[in-house]
Amino acid sequence: MTTRLESAAATRRALLDAAAGLLDDGGPDAVTLRAVGARAGLTRGAPYRHFPAKDSLLTVVATEALDRLADEVRALRADPRESPAGRLRRALFALMAIGRRQPHLYRLMFAAPAGDPAVVEAANRAGDRAQDEYLAIVAEVVGEPDTRRFAPLLLTSVHGITDMEVNGHLSAEKWQVTAEELVATLVSMIETAT
């Protein structure tokens, strides 16, 4: 027998999955509480019992993505088979993969969180955790003193690479280089600069 708490958690999960699917399919404009409820196969009022507004729902979707990314980077940091530079490349590739597969989610992950204060606070914690994991993986390559100088350089460069690729401006035919090769070059440059 399912308890009321388990049922509420399952409903919330279904709503979040539906919102993520709608976001992937059509961007933030496609995500309405009514559409989320319909896609989840629930009543029209179900989303309103779990999320006060669309922005809170989207912020929770982004928060979960940031948590998954932080977990992935943490696992990469623990992989002894890879060099520090290799772990950094793989972490940056993981970020690029989100931008390629889910460009709307990717943008949402880096937008200022909005909605209910508790939701915003959770999003900020998830963002801080993802940033801490990223900074730790950069520090393994450049050392602690240079981390705050090189981490934003790498991150903004990878954002630009991802954005150009997603928008069709970074084709291998045009530039004779792949996004992965650009990231590898960046990491090598950073590695030799320290």
Side-chain angles (χ1 to χ4, degrees), residues 134-155:
Y134 171 66
L135 289 172
I137 212 164
V138 172
E140 292 176 1
V141 176
V142 301
E144 197 66 44
D146 289 324
T147 298
R148 294 283 178 172
R149 181 166 56 119
F150 287 114
L153 176 64
L154 286 165
L155 190 59

Side-chain angles (χ1 to χ4, degrees), residues 2 8 14 31 33 37 39 55 65-66 73 84-86 93-94 101 125 131 143 159 165 172 177-178 193:
T2 304
V31 181
L33 291 179
R39 186 162 186 160
D55 53 0
L66 287 165
V73 174
F93 292 162
R101 285 189 323 262
R125 279 193 311 272
Q131 180 180 351
H159 277 307
E165 185 184 51
V177 67
T178 66

Side-chain angles (χ1 to χ4, degrees), residues 10-11 13-19 22 33-47 49:
T11 298
R13 179 78 263 146
L15 292 167
L16 288 166
D17 291 345
L22 287 166
L33 291 179
R34 179 177 284 189
V36 168
R39 186 162 186 160
L42 300 167
T43 65
R44 286 184 184 181
R49 287 190 290 279

Side-chain angles (χ1 to χ4, degrees), residues 168-179:
H169 301 296
L170 185 64
S171 67
E173 298 78 34
K174 180 178 181 178
W175 295 100
Q176 281 78 53
V177 67
T178 66

Side-chain angles (χ1 to χ4, degrees), residues 32 53 70 96 111 146 153 161 164 187:
T32 65
M96 286 175 34
D146 289 324
L153 176 64
I161 291 166
M164 285 186 68
V187 172

Side-chain angles (χ1 to χ4, degrees), residues 85 88-89 141-142 149-150 153-154 157 181-194:
L88 177 57
R89 276 192 304 276
V141 176
V142 301
R149 181 166 56 119
F150 287 114
L153 176 64
L154 286 165
S157 298
E181 290 169 329
L182 288 172
V183 170
T185 299
L186 276 169
V187 172
S188 293
M189 289 169 59
I190 297 301
E191 193 176 23
T192 58
T194 55

Side-chain angles (χ1 to χ4, degrees), residues 78-101:
D79 186 353
R81 299 169 293 171
E82 191 78 68
S83 69
R87 288 191 290 268
L88 177 57
R89 276 192 304 276
R90 287 178 56 202
L92 295 170
F93 292 162
L95 182 60
M96 286 175 34
I98 298 168
R100 288 170 168 161
R101 285 189 323 262

